[in-house]
Coordinates of all heavy atoms in Angstrom, one line a residue:
M13 N 94.6 -24.4 218.4 CA 95.4 -25.2 217.2 C 94.5 -26.0 216.4 O 93.6 -26.7 216.9 CB 96.4 -26.1 218.0 CG 97.1 -26.9 216.9 SD 98.4 -28.0 217.6 CE 97.5 -29.4 218.2
K14 N 94.5 -25.6 215.1 CA 93.7 -26.3 214.2 C 94.3 -27.6 213.7 O 95.5 -27.6 213.5 CB 93.5 -25.4 213.0 CG 92.5 -25.9 212.1 CD 91.9 -24.7 211.2 CE 92.7 -24.6 209.9 NZ 92.1 -23.7 209.0
T15 N 93.5 -28.7 213.6 CA 94.1 -29.9 213.2 C 93.5 -30.3 211.8 O 94.3 -30.5 210.9 CB 93.7 -31.0 214.3 OG1 92.4 -31.1 214.5 CG2 94.6 -30.7 215.5
V16 N 92.3 -30.5 211.7 CA 91.6 -30.9 210.5 C 90.4 -30.0 210.2 O 89.9 -29.3 211.1 CB 91.1 -32.3 210.5 CG1 92.4 -33.3 210.7 CG2 90.1 -32.6 211.7
S17 N 90.0 -30.0 209.0 CA 88.8 -29.2 208.6 C 87.5 -29.8 209.3 O 87.5 -30.9 209.5 CB 88.6 -29.3 207.1 OG 87.3 -28.7 206.7
R18 N 86.7 -28.8 209.7 CA 85.5 -29.2 210.3 C 84.5 -29.7 209.3 O 83.3 -30.1 209.6 CB 84.9 -28.0 211.2 CG 85.7 -27.6 212.2 CD 85.2 -26.3 212.7 NE 85.7 -25.2 211.8 CZ 85.3 -24.0 211.8 NH1 84.6 -23.6 212.7 NH2 85.8 -23.2 211.0
F19 N 84.8 -29.7 208.0 CA 83.9 -29.9 206.9 C 84.3 -31.3 206.2 O 85.5 -31.6 206.2 CB 83.8 -28.8 206.0 CG 83.2 -27.6 206.6 CD1 84.2 -26.7 207.2 CD2 81.9 -27.4 206.7 CE1 83.8 -25.6 207.8 CE2 81.5 -26.1 207.4 CZ 82.4 -25.3 207.9
E20 N 83.3 -32.0 205.7 CA 83.5 -33.2 205.0 C 84.1 -32.8 203.7 O 83.9 -31.8 203.2 CB 82.3 -34.0 204.8 CG 81.6 -34.5 206.0 CD 80.4 -35.3 205.8 OE1 80.2 -35.9 204.7 OE2 79.7 -35.5 206.7
R21 N 84.9 -33.7 203.2 CA 85.4 -33.5 201.7 C 84.4 -33.5 200.7 O 83.4 -34.3 200.8 CB 86.5 -34.5 201.6 CG 87.7 -34.5 202.5 CD 88.6 -33.3 202.1 NE 89.5 -33.2 203.3 CZ 89.9 -31.9 203.6 NH1 89.5 -30.9 203.0 NH2 90.8 -31.8 204.6
F22 N 84.6 -32.8 199.7 CA 83.8 -32.9 198.5 C 84.0 -34.2 197.8 O 85.0 -34.9 197.9 CB 84.2 -31.7 197.5 CG 83.7 -30.4 198.0 CD1 84.5 -29.6 198.7 CD2 82.4 -30.0 197.7 CE1 84.1 -28.3 199.1 CE2 81.9 -28.7 198.2 CZ 82.8 -28.0 198.9
E23 N 83.0 -34.6 197.2 CA 83.1 -35.8 196.3 C 84.3 -35.6 195.3 O 84.5 -34.5 194.8 CB 81.9 -36.1 195.5 CG 80.6 -36.4 196.4 CD 80.8 -37.9 197.0 OE1 81.3 -38.7 196.4 OE2 80.4 -37.9 198.2
A24 N 85.0 -36.7 195.0 CA 86.1 -36.6 194.1 C 85.6 -36.2 192.7 O 84.5 -36.7 192.3 CB 86.8 -37.9 193.9
G25 N 86.1 -35.2 192.0 CA 85.7 -34.7 190.9 C 86.7 -33.9 190.2 O 87.9 -33.8 190.7
D26 N 86.3 -33.2 189.2 CA 87.3 -32.2 188.5 C 87.6 -31.1 189.4 O 86.7 -30.6 190.1 CB 86.6 -31.7 187.3 CG 86.5 -32.8 186.2 OD1 87.3 -33.8 186.4 OD2 85.7 -32.6 185.2
T27 N 88.8 -30.8 189.5 CA 89.3 -29.6 190.3 C 90.0 -28.6 189.3 O 90.3 -29.0 188.2 CB 90.3 -30.0 191.4 OG1 91.5 -30.6 190.8 CG2 89.8 -30.9 192.4
V28 N 89.9 -27.4 189.7 CA 90.6 -26.4 188.9 C 91.5 -25.6 189.8 O 91.4 -25.7 191.1 CB 89.6 -25.4 188.4 CG1 88.8 -26.1 187.3 CG2 88.7 -24.8 189.5
T29 N 92.5 -25.0 189.3 CA 93.5 -24.2 190.1 C 93.1 -22.7 190.2 O 92.7 -22.1 189.2 CB 94.9 -24.3 189.4 OG1 95.2 -25.6 189.4 CG2 95.9 -23.5 190.3
V30 N 92.9 -22.3 191.5 CA 92.7 -20.9 191.8 C 93.9 -20.4 192.5 O 94.8 -21.1 192.8 CB 91.4 -20.7 192.5 CG1 90.2 -21.3 191.9 CG2 91.5 -21.3 194.0
H31 N 94.0 -19.1 192.8 CA 95.1 -18.6 193.7 C 94.5 -17.9 194.9 O 93.5 -17.2 194.8 CB 95.9 -17.6 192.9 CG 96.8 -18.3 192.0 ND1 96.4 -18.6 190.7 CD2 98.2 -18.6 192.2 CE1 97.5 -19.2 190.1 NE2 98.5 -19.3 190.9
W32 N 94.8 -18.4 196.0 CA 94.5 -17.8 197.3 C 95.7 -17.1 198.0 O 96.7 -17.6 198.2 CB 94.0 -18.8 198.3 CG 93.9 -18.3 199.8 CD1 94.7 -18.5 200.7 CD2 92.8 -17.5 200.2 NE1 94.2 -17.8 201.8 CE2 93.0 -17.2 201.5 CE3 91.7 -16.9 199.5 CZ2 92.1 -16.4 202.3 CZ3 90.8 -16.1 200.3 CH2 91.1 -15.8 201.6
D33 N 95.5 -15.7 197.9 CA 96.6 -14.9 198.5 C 98.0 -15.2 197.9 O 98.9 -15.3 198.5 CB 96.7 -15.1 200.0 CG 97.2 -13.8 200.8 OD1 97.2 -12.8 200.1 OD2 97.5 -14.0 201.9
G34 N 97.8 -15.3 196.5 CA 99.0 -15.6 195.7 C 99.4 -17.1 195.6 O 100.3 -17.3 194.8
A35 N 98.9 -18.0 196.4 CA 99.4 -19.3 196.2 C 98.4 -20.1 195.5 O 97.2 -20.1 195.7 CB 99.5 -19.8 197.7
P36 N 98.9 -21.1 194.7 CA 98.0 -22.0 193.9 C 97.2 -22.9 194.8 O 97.7 -23.4 195.8 CB 98.8 -22.6 192.9 CG 100.2 -22.6 193.5 CD 100.2 -21.4 194.3
L37 N 96.0 -23.1 194.5 CA 95.1 -24.0 195.3 C 94.2 -24.7 194.4 O 93.5 -24.1 193.5 CB 94.3 -23.2 196.4 CG 93.5 -23.8 197.3 CD1 94.2 -24.7 198.3 CD2 92.7 -22.7 198.1
D38 N 94.0 -26.1 194.6 CA 93.1 -26.8 193.7 C 91.8 -27.0 194.5 O 91.8 -27.5 195.6 CB 93.7 -28.2 193.4 CG 94.9 -28.0 192.4 OD1 94.9 -27.0 191.6 OD2 95.8 -29.0 192.4
L39 N 90.7 -26.6 193.8 CA 89.4 -26.6 194.4 C 88.4 -27.3 193.5 O 88.7 -27.3 192.3 CB 88.8 -25.2 194.7 CG 89.6 -24.4 195.8 CD1 89.0 -23.0 195.9 CD2 89.7 -25.1 197.0
P40 N 87.4 -27.9 194.0 CA 86.4 -28.6 193.1 C 85.7 -27.6 192.2 O 85.1 -26.6 192.6 CB 85.4 -29.2 194.1 CG 86.0 -29.2 195.4 CD 87.0 -28.1 195.4
E41 N 85.7 -27.9 190.9 CA 85.1 -26.9 189.9 C 83.5 -26.8 190.2 O 82.9 -27.9 190.4 CB 85.3 -27.4 188.5 CG 84.8 -26.5 187.5 CD 85.2 -26.9 186.0 OE1 85.4 -28.2 185.8 OE2 85.4 -26.0 185.2
G42 N 83.0 -25.7 190.2 CA 81.5 -25.4 190.4 C 81.1 -25.5 191.8 O 79.9 -25.2 192.0
A43 N 82.0 -25.8 192.7 CA 81.6 -25.9 194.1 C 81.4 -24.4 194.6 O 81.9 -23.4 194.1 CB 82.7 -26.5 195.0
N44 N 80.7 -24.3 195.8 CA 80.5 -23.0 196.4 C 81.9 -22.6 196.9 O 82.6 -23.3 197.5 CB 79.5 -23.1 197.6 CG 79.4 -21.8 198.3 OD1 80.2 -21.5 199.2 ND2 78.4 -21.1 198.1
L45 N 82.3 -21.3 196.6 CA 83.7 -21.0 196.8 C 84.0 -21.0 198.4 O 85.0 -21.3 198.9 CB 84.1 -19.6 196.3 CG 85.4 -19.0 196.6 CD1 86.5 -19.9 196.1 CD2 85.5 -17.5 196.0
A46 N 83.0 -20.4 199.2 CA 83.2 -20.3 200.7 C 83.4 -21.7 201.2 O 84.3 -22.0 202.0 CB 82.1 -19.6 201.3
A47 N 82.5 -22.7 200.8 CA 82.7 -24.0 201.2 C 83.9 -24.7 200.8 O 84.5 -25.4 201.7 CB 81.4 -24.8 200.8
A48 N 84.3 -24.4 199.6 CA 85.5 -25.0 199.1 C 86.8 -24.6 199.9 O 87.6 -25.4 200.1 CB 85.6 -24.8 197.6
L49 N 86.8 -23.3 200.1 CA 87.9 -22.7 200.9 C 87.9 -23.2 202.3 O 89.0 -23.6 202.8 CB 87.9 -21.2 201.0 CG 88.2 -20.5 199.5 CD1 87.9 -19.0 199.7 CD2 89.6 -20.8 199.0
L50 N 86.8 -23.4 202.9 CA 86.7 -23.9 204.3 C 87.2 -25.4 204.2 O 87.9 -25.8 205.1 CB 85.3 -23.9 204.8 CG 84.8 -22.4 205.2 CD1 83.3 -22.5 205.5 CD2 85.5 -22.0 206.4
A51 N 86.7 -26.2 203.3 CA 87.1 -27.6 203.2 C 88.6 -27.7 203.0 O 89.3 -28.7 203.2 CB 86.3 -28.3 202.0
A52 N 89.3 -26.6 202.4 CA 90.7 -26.7 202.1 C 91.4 -26.2 203.3 O 92.6 -26.0 203.3 CB 91.0 -25.7 200.9
G53 N 90.7 -25.9 204.4 CA 91.4 -25.4 205.6 C 91.5 -24.0 205.8 O 92.3 -23.5 206.8
I54 N 91.0 -23.2 204.9 CA 91.1 -21.7 205.0 C 89.9 -21.2 205.7 O 88.7 -21.4 205.2 CB 91.3 -21.1 203.6 CG1 92.6 -21.6 203.1 CG2 91.2 -19.5 203.7 CD1 92.7 -21.2 201.5
D55 N 90.0 -20.6 206.9 CA 88.8 -20.1 207.6 C 88.9 -18.7 207.9 O 88.1 -18.2 208.6 CB 88.5 -21.0 208.9 CG 89.7 -21.0 209.8 OD1 90.7 -20.3 209.6 OD2 89.6 -21.8 210.8
R56 N 90.0 -18.1 207.6 CA 90.1 -16.6 207.7 C 90.1 -15.8 206.5 O 91.0 -15.9 205.7 CB 91.5 -16.3 208.5 CG 91.7 -14.8 208.9 CD 93.0 -14.7 209.6 NE 93.1 -13.3 210.1 CZ 93.9 -12.9 211.2 NH1 94.6 -13.9 211.7 NH2 93.9 -11.7 211.5
F57 N 88.9 -15.4 206.2 CA 88.7 -14.8 204.9 C 88.9 -13.3 204.8 O 89.3 -12.7 203.8 CB 87.2 -15.0 204.4 CG 86.9 -16.4 204.0 CD1 87.4 -17.5 204.6 CD2 86.0 -16.6 202.9 CE1 87.1 -18.8 204.1 CE2 85.7 -17.8 202.4 CZ 86.3 -19.0 203.1
R58 N 88.9 -12.6 206.0 CA 89.2 -11.2 206.0 C 89.5 -10.9 207.4 O 89.2 -11.5 208.3 CB 88.0 -10.4 205.5 CG 86.8 -10.4 206.3 CD 85.6 -9.5 205.7 NE 84.4 -9.5 206.6 CZ 84.1 -8.5 207.5 NH1 85.0 -7.5 207.6 NH2 83.1 -8.5 208.2
D59 N 89.9 -9.6 207.5 CA 90.2 -9.0 208.8 C 89.2 -7.8 208.9 O 89.0 -7.1 207.9 CB 91.6 -8.6 209.1 CG 92.5 -9.7 209.1 OD1 92.1 -10.9 209.3 OD2 93.8 -9.5 208.7
T60 N 88.7 -7.4 210.1 CA 87.9 -6.2 210.1 C 88.9 -5.1 210.0 O 90.0 -5.1 210.4 CB 87.2 -6.1 211.5 OG1 88.2 -6.2 212.5 CG2 86.3 -7.2 211.6
P61 N 88.5 -4.0 209.3 CA 89.4 -2.9 209.0 C 89.8 -2.1 210.2 O 90.9 -1.5 210.2 CB 88.5 -2.0 208.0 CG 87.1 -2.5 208.1 CD 87.1 -3.9 208.7
V62 N 89.1 -2.1 211.2 CA 89.5 -1.3 212.5 C 90.4 -2.0 213.4 O 91.5 -1.7 213.7 CB 88.3 -0.8 213.2 CG1 88.6 0.0 214.4 CG2 87.5 0.3 212.2
S63 N 89.8 -3.2 213.9 CA 90.6 -4.0 214.9 C 91.5 -5.0 214.3 O 92.4 -5.5 215.0 CB 89.6 -4.7 215.9 OG 88.9 -5.7 215.3
G64 N 91.2 -5.4 213.1 CA 92.0 -6.5 212.5 C 91.5 -7.9 213.0 O 92.2 -8.8 212.8
A65 N 90.3 -7.9 213.6 CA 89.8 -9.2 214.0 C 89.6 -10.1 212.9 O 89.0 -9.7 211.9 CB 88.5 -9.0 214.8
P66 N 89.8 -11.4 212.9 CA 89.6 -12.4 211.8 C 88.1 -12.7 211.6 O 87.4 -12.8 212.6 CB 90.4 -13.6 212.1 CG 90.4 -13.5 213.7 CD 90.4 -12.1 214.0
R67 N 87.7 -12.8 210.4 CA 86.3 -13.1 210.1 C 86.4 -14.3 209.0 O 87.2 -14.4 208.2 CB 85.6 -12.0 209.5 CG 85.3 -10.9 210.5 CD 84.3 -11.4 211.5 NE 83.8 -10.4 212.5 CZ 84.4 -10.2 213.6 NH1 85.4 -11.0 214.0 NH2 84.0 -9.2 214.4
G68 N 85.3 -15.1 209.0 CA 85.1 -16.2 208.1 C 83.7 -16.5 207.9 O 82.8 -15.9 208.6
P69 N 83.3 -17.3 206.9 CA 81.9 -17.5 206.6 C 81.1 -17.9 207.9 O 81.6 -18.7 208.7 CB 82.0 -18.7 205.6 CG 83.3 -18.6 205.0 CD 84.3 -18.1 206.0
F70 N 79.8 -17.4 208.0 CA 79.1 -17.7 209.0 C 77.7 -18.1 208.5 O 77.2 -19.2 208.9 CB 78.8 -16.3 210.0 CG 78.1 -16.6 211.2 CD1 78.4 -17.4 212.2 CD2 76.8 -16.0 211.2 CE1 77.5 -17.6 213.3 CE2 75.9 -16.2 212.2 CZ 76.3 -16.9 213.3
C71 N 77.0 -17.3 207.7 CA 75.6 -17.6 207.3 C 75.5 -18.5 206.1 O 74.6 -19.3 205.9 CB 74.9 -16.4 207.2 SG 75.2 -15.4 205.6
M72 N 76.5 -18.4 205.3 CA 76.5 -19.2 203.9 C 75.2 -18.9 203.1 O 74.9 -19.7 202.3 CB 76.6 -20.7 204.3 CG 77.9 -21.1 205.0 SD 79.4 -20.7 204.0 CE 79.4 -21.9 202.8
M73 N 74.6 -17.8 203.2 CA 73.5 -17.4 202.5 C 73.5 -15.9 202.0 O 72.5 -15.4 201.7 CB 72.2 -17.9 203.0 CG 71.9 -17.1 204.4 SD 70.4 -17.8 205.2 CE 70.2 -16.6 206.3
G74 N 74.6 -15.2 202.1 CA 74.8 -13.9 201.6 C 74.2 -12.8 202.5 O 74.0 -11.7 202.1
A75 N 74.1 -13.1 203.8 CA 73.5 -12.1 204.7 C 74.5 -11.4 205.6 O 74.4 -10.3 205.9 CB 72.5 -12.8 205.6
C76 N 75.5 -12.2 206.0 CA 76.4 -11.6 207.1 C 77.7 -10.8 206.6 O 78.2 -10.0 207.3 CB 76.9 -12.7 208.0 SG 78.1 -13.8 207.3
F77 N 78.1 -11.1 205.4 CA 79.3 -10.5 204.7 C 80.5 -10.8 205.5 O 81.6 -10.2 205.2 CB 79.2 -8.9 204.6 CG 78.1 -8.5 203.5 CD1 76.7 -8.7 203.8 CD2 78.6 -8.0 202.3 CE1 75.8 -8.4 202.8 CE2 77.7 -7.6 201.4 CZ 76.3 -7.8 201.6
D78 N 80.6 -11.8 206.3 CA 81.8 -12.2 206.9 C 82.7 -13.0 206.1 O 83.8 -13.3 206.4 CB 81.6 -13.0 208.2 CG 81.3 -12.0 209.4 OD1 81.6 -10.9 209.3 OD2 80.8 -12.5 210.4
C79 N 82.2 -13.5 204.9 CA 83.0 -14.2 203.9 C 83.6 -13.4 202.8 O 84.0 -13.9 201.8 CB 82.1 -15.3 203.2 SG 80.8 -14.6 202.2
L80 N 83.5 -12.1 203.0 CA 84.1 -11.2 202.0 C 85.5 -11.5 201.6 O 86.4 -11.8 202.5 CB 84.1 -9.7 202.4 CG 82.8 -8.9 202.2 CD1 83.0 -7.5 202.7 CD2 82.2 -9.0 200.8
V81 N 85.8 -11.7 200.3 CA 87.1 -11.8 199.8 C 87.2 -10.8 198.6 O 86.2 -10.3 198.1 CB 87.3 -13.3 199.2 CG1 87.4 -14.2 200.5 CG2 86.3 -13.7 198.3
E82 N 88.4 -10.6 198.2 CA 88.7 -9.8 197.1 C 89.0 -10.8 195.9 O 89.9 -11.6 195.9 CB 89.8 -9.0 197.3 CG 90.2 -8.0 196.1 CD 91.4 -7.2 196.3 OE1 91.7 -6.8 197.5 OE2 92.2 -7.0 195.3
I83 N 88.2 -10.7 194.8 CA 88.4 -11.4 193.6 C 88.6 -10.6 192.5 O 87.8 -9.8 192.1 CB 87.1 -12.3 193.3 CG1 86.8 -13.2 194.6 CG2 87.2 -13.2 192.0 CD1 85.6 -14.1 194.4
E84 N 89.9 -10.8 192.0 CA 90.2 -9.9 190.9 C 90.0 -8.4 191.1 O 89.5 -7.7 190.4 CB 89.7 -10.4 189.5 CG 90.3 -11.7 189.2 CD 89.3 -12.7 188.4 OE1 88.2 -12.2 188.1 OE2 89.6 -13.9 188.5
G85 N 90.3 -8.0 192.3 CA 90.2 -6.6 192.7 C 88.8 -6.1 193.2 O 88.7 -4.9 193.5
V86 N 87.8 -7.0 193.3 CA 86.5 -6.5 193.6 C 86.1 -7.4 194.9 O 86.3 -8.5 194.9 CB 85.4 -6.8 192.5 CG1 84.1 -6.5 192.9 CG2 85.9 -6.1 191.2
A87 N 85.5 -6.6 195.9 CA 85.1 -7.3 197.2 C 83.8 -8.1 196.8 O 82.9 -7.6 196.2 CB 84.8 -6.4 198.2
R88 N 83.8 -9.5 197.1 CA 82.6 -10.3 196.8 C 82.4 -11.2 198.0 O 83.3 -11.5 198.8 CB 83.1 -11.2 195.6 CG 83.4 -10.4 194.3 CD 82.3 -9.7 193.6 NE 81.2 -10.6 193.3 CZ 81.1 -11.3 192.1 NH1 82.0 -11.2 191.1 NH2 80.0 -12.1 191.9
Q89 N 81.1 -11.7 198.1 CA 80.8 -12.7 199.1 C 81.2 -14.1 198.5 O 80.6 -14.5 197.6 CB 79.3 -12.6 199.4 CG 79.0 -11.2 200.1 CD 77.4 -11.1 200.0 OE1 77.0 -10.7 198.9 NE2 76.8 -11.3 201.0
A90 N 82.1 -14.7 199.2 CA 82.6 -16.0 198.7 C 81.4 -17.1 198.7 O 81.4 -18.0 197.9 CB 83.7 -16.5 199.5
C91 N 80.5 -16.9 199.6 CA 79.4 -17.9 199.6 C 78.4 -17.8 198.5 O 77.5 -18.5 198.3 CB 78.6 -17.8 201.0 SG 77.7 -16.3 201.1
M92 N 78.6 -16.7 197.7 CA 77.7 -16.5 196.5 C 78.4 -16.8 195.2 O 77.9 -16.4 194.0 CB 77.2 -15.0 196.6 CG 76.3 -14.6 197.8 SD 74.7 -15.3 197.7 CE 74.8 -16.6 198.8
I93 N 79.6 -17.2 195.3 CA 80.5 -17.4 194.1 C 80.7 -19.0 193.8 O 80.9 -19.7 194.7 CB 81.8 -16.8 194.3 CG1 81.6 -15.3 194.6 CG2 82.7 -17.0 193.0 CD1 81.1 -14.4 193.4
E94 N 80.7 -19.4 192.6 CA 81.1 -20.8 192.3 C 82.6 -20.7 191.9 O 83.1 -19.8 191.3 CB 80.3 -21.3 191.1 CG 78.8 -21.6 191.4 CD 78.2 -22.4 190.3 OE1 78.8 -22.6 189.2 OE2 77.0 -22.6 190.5
V95 N 83.3 -21.9 192.3 CA 84.7 -22.0 191.9 C 84.8 -22.1 190.4 O 84.1 -23.0 189.8 CB 85.2 -23.2 192.6 CG1 86.6 -23.6 192.1 CG2 85.2 -23.1 194.2
R96 N 85.6 -21.4 189.8 CA 86.1 -21.6 188.4 C 87.6 -21.3 188.2 O 88.1 -20.7 189.1 CB 85.1 -20.7 187.5 CG 85.4 -19.2 187.8 CD 84.5 -18.4 186.8 NE 84.3 -17.0 187.3 CZ 85.2 -16.0 187.3 NH1 86.4 -16.3 186.9 NH2 84.8 -14.8 187.8
A97 N 88.1 -21.9 187.2 CA 89.5 -21.9 187.0 C 90.0 -20.4 187.0 O 89.4 -19.6 186.4 CB 89.9 -22.6 185.7
G98 N 91.1 -20.3 187.5 CA 91.9 -19.0 187.4 C 91.5 -17.9 188.4 O 92.0 -16.8 188.3
L99 N 90.6 -18.1 189.3 CA 90.1 -17.1 190.2 C 91.4 -16.7 190.9 O 92.1 -17.4 191.5 CB 89.0 -17.6 191.1 CG 87.6 -17.8 190.6 CD1 86.8 -18.3 191.8 CD2 87.1 -16.5 190.2
D100 N 91.5 -15.3 191.1 CA 92.6 -14.8 191.9 C 91.9 -14.2 193.2 O 91.3 -13.1 193.1 CB 93.3 -13.6 191.1 CG 94.5 -13.1 191.9 OD1 94.9 -13.8 192.8 OD2 95.0 -12.0 191.6
I101 N 92.0 -14.9 194.2 CA 91.3 -14.6 195.4 C 92.3 -14.1 196.6 O 93.3 -14.7 196.8 CB 90.5 -15.9 195.9 CG1 89.8 -16.5 194.8 CG2 89.5 -15.5 197.1 CD1 89.5 -18.0 195.1
R102 N 91.9 -13.0 197.3 CA 92.7 -12.6 198.4 C 91.7 -12.3 199.5 O 90.7 -11.9 199.3 CB 93.5 -11.3 197.9 CG 94.5 -11.6 196.8 CD 95.2 -10.4 196.4 NE 96.1 -10.7 195.3 CZ 97.2 -11.3 195.3 NH1 97.8 -11.6 196.6 NH2 98.1 -11.7 194.3
P103 N 92.3 -12.3 200.7 CA 91.6 -11.9 201.8 C 91.2 -10.4 201.7 O 91.9 -9.6 201.2 CB 92.5 -12.1 203.1 CG 93.5 -12.9 202.5 CD 93.7 -12.7 201.1
A104 N 90.0 -10.1 202.1 CA 89.5 -8.6 202.1 C 89.8 -8.0 203.3 O 89.9 -8.5 204.3 CB 88.0 -8.6 201.7
H105 N 89.8 -6.6 203.3 CA 90.0 -5.8 204.4 C 91.2 -6.3 205.3 O 91.1 -6.6 206.4 CB 88.7 -5.9 205.4 CG 87.6 -5.3 204.7 ND1 87.5 -4.0 204.4 CD2 86.4 -5.9 204.4 CE1 86.2 -3.8 203.9 NE2 85.6 -4.9 203.8
Q106 N 92.3 -6.3 204.7 CA 93.5 -6.6 205.4 C 93.7 -5.6 206.6 O 93.2 -4.5 206.6 CB 94.8 -6.4 204.6 CG 94.8 -7.3 203.4 CD 95.4 -8.6 203.8 OE1 96.1 -8.7 204.7 NE2 94.9 -9.7 203.0
S107 N 94.3 -6.1 207.7 CA 94.4 -5.3 208.9 C 95.3 -4.1 208.6 O 95.9 -4.1 207.5 CB 95.0 -6.0 210.1 OG 96.3 -6.5 209.7
R108 N 95.4 -3.1 209.4 CA 96.1 -1.8 209.1 C 97.5 -2.2 208.8 O 98.2 -1.4 208.1 CB 95.9 -0.9 210.3 CG 94.5 -0.3 210.3 CD 94.4 0.7 211.5 NE 93.0 1.0 211.6 CZ 92.3 2.0 211.2 NH1 93.0 2.9 210.6 NH2 91.1 2.2 211.5
E109 N 98.0 -3.2 209.3 CA 99.5 -3.6 209.1 C 99.5 -4.4 207.7 O 100.7 -4.4 207.3 CB 100.0 -4.5 210.1 CG 100.1 -3.9 211.6 CD 98.7 -3.9 212.3 OE1 98.0 -5.0 212.1 OE2 98.5 -3.0 212.9
G110 N 98.4 -4.7 207.2 CA 98.4 -5.5 206.0 C 98.4 -4.5 204.7 O 98.7 -3.4 204.8
Q111 N 97.9 -5.1 203.7 CA 97.8 -4.4 202.5 C 96.7 -3.4 202.5 O 95.9 -3.3 203.5 CB 97.6 -5.3 201.3 CG 98.8 -6.3 201.1 CD 98.6 -7.3 200.1 OE1 97.5 -7.4 199.5 NE2 99.5 -8.1 199.9
D112 N 96.3 -2.8 201.5 CA 95.2 -1.8 201.4 C 93.9 -2.3 201.8 O 93.6 -3.4 201.3 CB 95.1 -1.2 199.9 CG 96.4 -0.5 199.5 OD1 97.1 0.0 200.3 OD2 96.6 -0.5 198.3
A113 N 93.2 -1.6 202.5 CA 91.8 -2.1 202.9 C 90.9 -1.7 201.7 O 91.2 -0.8 201.0 CB 91.4 -1.3 204.1
L114 N 89.9 -2.5 201.6 CA 88.9 -2.3 200.5 C 88.0 -1.2 200.9 O 87.7 -0.9 202.0 CB 88.1 -3.6 200.2 CG 89.1 -4.6 199.7 CD1 88.1 -5.9 199.5 CD2 89.5 -4.2 198.3
Ligands
LIG209 S1 78.9 -16.3 204.8 FE1 77.5 -14.8 205.3 S2 77.5 -13.6 203.5 FE2 78.7 -15.2 203.0

């Protein structure tokens, strides 16, 4: 059972609205996307295509690909992206019961 984010809150500043899996979400503008999503309590970024096992950011430096998300239809590493207004972000590699796998 998850209770609170394991990460400290970002400094108060300008936020922008993005969409995570279709729902609006306010994140700090210019922040690292993976860190901002984790701080917002989202830690399941994708499911593995075969078993459907959940994955979330691990290395935070572009090496593990566990932070893959789909941004405007393209698979991207969230730890390599800055938050900007209007991002349409979805989990990547939905399980076989989910939407189309990337
Ligand atoms: S967290 Fe490892 S590539 Fe992004």
Side-chain angles (χ1 to χ4, degrees):
M13 177 174 82
K14 187 161 90 177
T15 54
V16 295
S17 172
R18 297 167 284 172
F19 298 90
E20 293 183 22
R21 296 283 169 218
F22 286 94
E23 294 291 322
D26 292 338
T27 61
V28 293
T29 301
V30 302
H31 284 84
W32 169 255
D33 210 9
L37 181 65
D38 291 332
L39 297 178
E41 185 173 28
N44 177 280
L45 178 59
L49 289 172
L50 287 169
I54 296 167
D55 58 6
R56 186 176 186 157
F57 283 39
R58 68 179 183 100
D59 296 333
T60 59
V62 175
S63 70
R67 290 289 184 266
F70 180 70
C71 71
M72 298 298 286
M73 61 182 195
C76 73
F77 286 74
D78 277 345
C79 66
L80 276 183
V81 292
E82 181 185 325
I83 300 176
E84 291 145 16
V86 178
R88 305 285 306 269
Q89 294 162 284
C91 69
M92 298 284 106
I93 303 289
E94 287 187 0
V95 173
R96 58 181 161 75
L99 287 177
D100 182 18
I101 313 156
R102 296 180 183 278
H105 297 294
Q106 296 281 332
S107 65
R108 290 178 192 262
E109 295 83 36
Q111 299 175 355
D112 297 334
L114 294 175

